[in-house]
């Protein structure tokens, strides 16, 4: 791919990479590779579309804390379920590895930049206020508990859409906002005495203010058709506030990469027609861009197809369809190079490219297609003589293999040259954590020579080197954790950018299978 940095006329301090949908793993996988490149060029932080307060836990892990496990960092350090994304596991592990042994000036920091809420609901401020009070040594739990009352009245989804059911403008909510503001002032007053942990406490305090602001908006007597735009606009404003605060923290250390949905990062206003009313609001990117100028740059994400999300190939006349005709691999290109096309149908799984998005972006990252087991299977079956066997009860396969795909050449299926598996085998093959939703692994019989070229040691020495590999990491060619001694390599969830290397390794594995078949047939004809 063309380096995206080469496409930017001015090097920003806040670089945004967008995705047009959540759930297509190719985008966060390419994001991870981008951040690794950026870290080598002086970037020292990353901010994701996730709760900023929760992100403090993920950053503890990244900084090497022994008190936060990887499992906890993923479970409690992300919001919106993003901790389950396999690419986010890889991100945290790589950042922790980078940080080990480095001085503070070179260490990487993880941030969330979202408020602790969803469009359709927000929690009470109780937990955030309590954490600030704990930091200050000021027990106000009784007062906070009395004002918050029943948590259900805050988390009720109906309260977001029916202002009469919201507590956001009640006397209790008003007193909580005053209390939160008082705690912020007290934080500043106590900063000289309590520098350790101050910034984390400040994030908790601003999170409390954020949810109270959101509830106040929900309680406003706004016509229902305008309500969505108002709530989205407030959320984006809170995101922008967090991004600017993050940049203030990171300014002396280096630029920041931000990753989120295109809709939050775009420079142009968001628009929607609801009940015949045209609604507009400013995204976080529009707000930040107006304040930072050319210190903010946006790379808009574009997607052709996503097998995992059920998004088919685009019509050739659309922006995405025309981009698909230009490349079969992920590609960065300057926004001015994108050919005008039709706007793809919008079904809320995917937000299509539009002319306004392109005009306001600095560059575009286009991914022609995500990768799933069926796509890889089609690629393998295109090789001469390749045949597929899907293990099942009907063909007598052992239960532990059901659903696995085996690819062979010729009648001998005992040694496939490639397999695709999507589940662990307890007690035998568990190191890739294949039981995670959507995770699969491609296994290839590359043989002794290629195995040694890839890893620097022969298959027979694998056990001596097992500890050197993370077999669950995505986009990485590693020895197969169960069959390395037979010359097998594997890749967990290869992204589309890895397809050329996959084709190279497939060619090697396939050639070995053809050679074995030829030798077997020759021996059968000439047994002596």
């Amino acid at each position: 791919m063309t380096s995206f940095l080469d496409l930017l006329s001015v090097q920003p301090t806040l670089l945004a990479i967008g995705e047009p949908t959540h759930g297509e793993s190719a985008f966060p996988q390419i994001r991870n590779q981008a951040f690794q490149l950026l870290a080598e060029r002086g970037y020292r932080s990353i901010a994701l579309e996730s709760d900023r307060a929760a992100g403090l836990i993920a950053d503890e892990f990244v900084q090497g804390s022994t008190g936060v496990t990887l499992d906890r960092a993923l479970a409690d350090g992300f919001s919106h379920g993003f901790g389950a994304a396999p690419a986010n596991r890889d991100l945290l592990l790589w950042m922790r590895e980078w940080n080990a042994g480095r001085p503070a000036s070179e260490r990487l920091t993880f941030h969330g930049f979202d408020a602790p809420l969803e469009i359709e609901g927000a929690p009470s401020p109780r937990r955030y206020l309590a954490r600030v009070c704990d930091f200050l040594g000021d027990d106000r739990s009784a007062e906070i508990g009395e004002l918050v009352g029943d948590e259900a009245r805050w988390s009720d989804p109906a309260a977001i859409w029916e202002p009469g059911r919201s507590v956001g403008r009640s006397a209790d909510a008003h007193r909580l906002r005053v209390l939160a503001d008082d705690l912020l002032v007290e934080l500043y007053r106590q900063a000289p005495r309590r520098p350790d942990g101050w910034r984390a406490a400040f994030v908790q305090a601003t999170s409390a203010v954020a949810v109270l602001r959101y509830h106040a908006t929900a309680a406003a007597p706004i016509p229902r058709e305008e309500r969505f735009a108002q709530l989205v606009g407030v959320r984006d404003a809170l995101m922008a506030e967090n991004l600017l605060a993050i940049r203030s923290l990171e300014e002396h250390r280096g630029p920041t990469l931000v990753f989120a949905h295109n809709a939050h990062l775009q420079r142009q206003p968001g628009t929607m027609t609801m009940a015949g009313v045209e609604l507009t609001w400013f995204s976080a990117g529009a707000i930040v861009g107006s304040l930072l100028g050319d210190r903010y740059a946006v790379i808009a994400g574009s997607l052709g197809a996503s097998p995992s999300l059920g998004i088919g190939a685009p019509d050739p006349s659309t922006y995405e369809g025309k981009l698909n005709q230009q490349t079969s691999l992920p590609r960065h290109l300057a926004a001015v190079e994108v050919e005008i096309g039709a706007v793809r149908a919008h079904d809320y799984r995917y937000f299509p490219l539009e002319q306004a998005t392109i005009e306001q972006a600095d560059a575009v990252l286009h991914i022609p297609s995500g990768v799933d087991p069926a796509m890889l299977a089609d690629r393998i079956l295109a090789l001469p003589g390749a045949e597929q066997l899907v293990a099942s009860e009907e063909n007598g396969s052992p239960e532990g293999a059901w659903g696995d795909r085996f690819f062979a050449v010729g009648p001998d299926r005992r040694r496939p040259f490639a397999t695709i598996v999507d589940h662990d085998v307890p007690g035998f093959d568990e190191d890739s954590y294949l039981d995670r939703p959507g995770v699969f692994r491609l296994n290839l019989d590359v043989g002794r020579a290629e195995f040694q070229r890839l890893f620097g040691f022969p298959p027979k020495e694998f056990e001596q080197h097992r500890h050197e590999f993370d077999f669950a990491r995505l986009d990485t060619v590693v020895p197969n954790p169960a069959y390395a001694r037979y010359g097998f390599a594997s890749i967990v969830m290869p992204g589309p950018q890895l397809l050329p290397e996959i084709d190279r390794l497939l060619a090697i594995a396939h050639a070995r299978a053809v050679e074995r078949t030829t030798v077997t047939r020759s021996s059968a004809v000439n047994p002596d």
Side-chain angles (χ1 to χ4, degrees):
M1 288 189 294
T2 301
S3 172
F4 49 89
L5 292 177
D6 296 337
L7 300 174
L8 305 176
S9 57
V10 176
Q11 294 306 305
T13 57
L14 185 62
L15 172 61
I17 297 180
E19 59 177 353
T21 182
H22 293 316
E24 173 46 65
S25 186
F27 282 99
Q29 287 176 238
I30 288 178
R31 170 208 69 194
N32 287 357
Q33 294 180 0
F35 190 44
Q36 291 174 25
L37 170 67
L38 292 170
E40 296 287 353
R41 301 196 182 191
Y43 279 63
R44 293 293 176 259
S45 55
I46 187 169
L48 303 190
E49 182 188 339
S50 184
D51 176 9
R52 191 178 180 201
L56 297 171
I57 297 172
D59 189 57
E60 277 192 64
F61 176 82
V62 164
Q63 300 309 323
S65 169
T66 57
V68 177
T69 65
L70 175 61
D71 286 346
R72 186 184 170 215
L74 293 172
D76 299 335
F78 292 84
S79 60
H80 308 89
F82 292 150
N88 285 336
R89 171 193 181 273
D90 288 5
L91 175 66
L92 296 191
L93 283 171
W94 177 79
M95 291 177 70
R96 184 179 173 110
E97 291 165 2
W98 170 283
N99 284 344
R102 292 181 185 266
S105 61
E106 297 180 9
R107 293 169 73 86
L108 304 176
T109 303
F110 177 94
H111 298 279
F113 74 92
D114 202 352
L117 50 87
E118 300 275 2
I119 293 300
E120 66 274 13
S124 83
R126 185 197 308 266
R127 78 183 79 165
Y128 310 106
L129 295 173
R131 289 167 183 165
V132 179
C133 290
D134 287 345
F135 174 77
L136 292 171
D138 181 8
D139 184 4
R140 304 182 71 168
S141 56
E143 179 185 4
I144 294 170
E146 180 182 351
L147 293 174
V148 170
D150 185 358
E151 288 284 343
R153 65 177 184 155
W154 298 85
S155 58
D156 179 10
I160 296 298
W161 304 107
E162 300 175 30
R165 297 181 62 167
S166 173
V167 298
R169 300 201 172 202
S170 65
D172 288 344
H174 176 72
R175 288 175 61 192
L176 284 166
R177 291 185 78 170
V178 172
L179 190 155
D181 190 61
D182 288 347
L183 289 175
L184 274 169
V185 172
E186 190 62 21
L187 276 175
Y188 281 107
R189 290 184 64 239
Q190 296 294 329
R193 293 193 185 106
R194 303 171 184 269
D196 294 340
W198 187 91
R199 296 192 186 281
F202 181 79
V203 169
Q204 301 291 349
T206 55
S207 294
V209 171
V211 296
L212 287 165
R213 288 171 176 168
Y214 196 75
H215 280 293
T217 302
I222 307 169
R224 187 175 180 85
E225 61 271 15
E226 299 176 19
R227 200 165 194 74
F228 180 83
Q230 190 78 3
L231 291 167
V232 172
V234 168
R235 182 186 177 195
D236 271 292
L238 296 172
M239 286 182 167
E241 181 181 38
N242 283 335
L243 282 174
L244 293 169
I246 290 166
R247 278 310 304 149
S248 178
L249 283 173
E250 298 289 348
E251 192 70 41
H252 68 290
R253 297 194 330 118
T256 299
L257 173 66
V258 56
F259 179 79
H261 198 288
N262 284 342
H264 294 305
L265 301 178
Q266 65 188 29
R267 284 194 179 94
Q268 78 275 17
T271 61
M272 175 177 287
T273 301
M274 187 173 289
V277 177
E278 185 72 17
L279 306 173
T280 64
W281 64 92
F282 289 112
S283 68
I287 297 168
V288 170
S290 70
L291 297 173
L292 295 185
D294 60 9
R295 289 177 292 163
Y296 178 66
V298 184
I299 299 175
S302 168
L303 177 65
S306 174
S308 62
L309 296 178
I311 298 173
D315 186 282
S317 66
T318 63
Y319 286 102
E320 293 86 352
K322 294 188 175 187
L323 288 169
N324 261 19
Q325 294 171 51
Q326 297 172 19
T327 180
S328 60
L329 296 173
R331 176 191 177 198
H332 290 100
L333 68 162
V336 295
E337 296 177 19
V338 178
E339 184 181 350
I340 294 176
V343 177
R344 195 175 185 180
H346 181 349
D347 65 1
Y348 293 95
R349 289 176 303 170
Y350 174 79
F351 284 62
L353 284 181
E354 299 175 333
Q355 190 60 27
T357 303
I358 297 167
E359 289 176 349
Q360 295 294 322
D362 297 278
V364 171
L365 164 61
H366 180 68
I367 297 178
S369 178
V371 177
D372 76 338
M375 175 191 181
L376 287 178
D378 289 343
R379 214 171 185 92
I380 298 170
L381 291 172
L383 296 169
E387 297 180 7
Q388 174 183 234
L389 172 70
V390 180
S392 66
E393 183 178 10
E394 290 71 23
N395 57 33
S397 300
E399 185 174 354
W402 291 353
D404 293 347
R405 301 168 185 252
F406 298 83
F407 301 89
V409 174
D412 186 359
R413 305 296 178 87
R414 290 173 297 179
R415 182 157 183 179
F417 69 89
T419 67
I420 302 174
V421 298
D422 61 6
H423 56 267
D424 293 331
V425 179
F428 175 68
D429 185 1
E430 301 176 289
D431 293 342
S432 297
Y433 303 131
L434 297 176
D435 285 342
R436 293 175 289 172
V439 175
F440 62 93
R441 188 182 70 206
L442 172 66
N443 308 306
L444 298 166
D445 177 11
V446 298
R448 285 192 297 270
E450 180 62 19
F451 188 99
Q452 178 144 5
R453 192 195 72 80
L454 287 168
F455 309 119
F457 57 86
K460 65 182 180 181
E461 296 179 7
F462 166 65
E463 288 301 332
Q464 300 166 232
H465 296 271
R466 175 185 282 271
H467 66 281
E468 300 171 10
F469 298 95
D470 176 2
F471 299 104
R473 190 160 295 189
L474 315 186
D475 283 326
T476 307
V477 182
V478 297
N480 182 284
Y483 293 100
R485 64 185 182 276
Y486 301 114
F488 271 76
S490 62
I491 313 167
V492 174
M493 284 187 73
Q497 73 280 7
L498 212 61
L499 288 174
E501 177 66 358
I502 288 173
D503 288 342
R504 187 186 74 82
L505 295 176
L506 272 173
I508 292 171
H510 176 259
R512 285 172 48 77
V514 170
E515 183 179 0
R516 282 196 302 271
T517 301
T518 302
V519 170
T520 300
R521 287 173 177 166
S522 177
S523 298
V525 173
N526 303 294
D528 294 333

